[in-house]
Amino acid sequence: MTLGLPTIETAKRAGATLLVVIVAGAVMLGAFLLLIRLVPRHDPTPIVTARKDERKAADVSTAIGAATAAHARDSAVHVDITTKEIRDAFQSVPTAQPAPVGTAPALPAAPVDRLRQRINESIARANGAAGPAVDPD
Amino acid sequence: MERPALPSIPTDLTKRERLKPLTAEDSGQLVAIDRGVLAELYERLAEAIGAVERGNLRAGRVEQWWRCVDAIWQSGRTLPGCEMSR
């Protein structure tokens, strides 16, 4: 049993083995890269664009929803004002005077002229919210 | 790049309601009606008109919403009038 230094032959053999390993590794890496190149790569652009569009659509929806709510509140306020005016109009009508037996009581006139004007203003508002009239064709 | 589009909006979805104004002339034939009953009729009429106004408003907004989202889907651009609260 000798514990000598490695001979030249041994060193040569080790060098050759190392070279084979390196070459094999390079070939495998090349094959792997080629394979990756061949597989069709997924294009991220459509997804990115779709997400941007979704964001924009969400913003638009929020804005339109808020505008609708504001307009609805405005409409409700107008209805409140109108109903108050209706109550006031009826309260301002004098009470009918009791008539002698056998005759019809003199009835006060209902405030129909005043209220017709208010109601027609409200109707004009409602029709105005429908937008400009479109020719049916 | 190929882009999606919304289906066309059903026209019944955005149909508006139009009310006829009060136009009756005096007929000269009188009927008696209680003050409270007549006042209530007028109040409910005013509320119903307000409901029609809001319904018309919503129909218009649905249409606007569809136009705005469709434009974004088809072009990626936000149309003028879509972001601001008009």
Side-chain angles (χ1 to χ4, degrees), chain A residues 48-137:
Chain A
V48 170
T49 310
R51 291 284 170 264
K52 272 187 197 161
D53 289 354
E54 279 175 358
R55 189 68 247 151
K56 282 180 196 165
D59 290 346
V60 158
S61 294
T62 307
I64 291 175
T68 312
H71 205 142
R73 278 194 297 276
D74 187 46
S75 167
V77 166
H78 181 260
V79 169
D80 285 347
I81 292 169
T82 308
T83 50
K84 190 185 178 302
E85 281 182 8
I86 290 167
R87 278 194 288 273
D88 290 349
F90 276 98
Q91 270 164 20
S92 69
V93 173
T95 325
Q97 295 301 312
V101 180
T103 57
L107 297 177
V112 286
D113 291 334
R114 178 178 165 187
L115 291 182
R116 182 192 298 121
Q117 204 184 331
R118 306 300 299 143
I119 292 293
N120 281 345
E121 279 168 19
S122 297
I123 287 174
R125 259 184 80 107
N127 289 342
V134 186
D135 290 330
D137 74 338

Side-chain angles (χ1 to χ4, degrees), chain A residues 86 90 110-112, chain B residues 33-43:
Chain A
I86 290 167
F90 276 98
V112 286
Chain B
I33 185 168
D34 186 87
R35 183 197 301 255
V37 173
L38 184 59
E40 187 188 47
L41 283 175
Y42 269 106
E43 281 184 38

Side-chain angles (χ1 to χ4, degrees), chain B residues 14-40:
Chain B
T14 57
K15 212 173 252 178
R16 319 295 211 273
E17 301 296 338
R18 280 173 209 281
L19 301 173
K20 290 195 282 286
L22 301 181
T23 54
E25 302 273 346
D26 286 355
S27 69
Q29 297 173 352
L30 301 181
V31 294
I33 185 168
D34 186 87
R35 183 197 301 255
V37 173
L38 184 59
E40 187 188 47

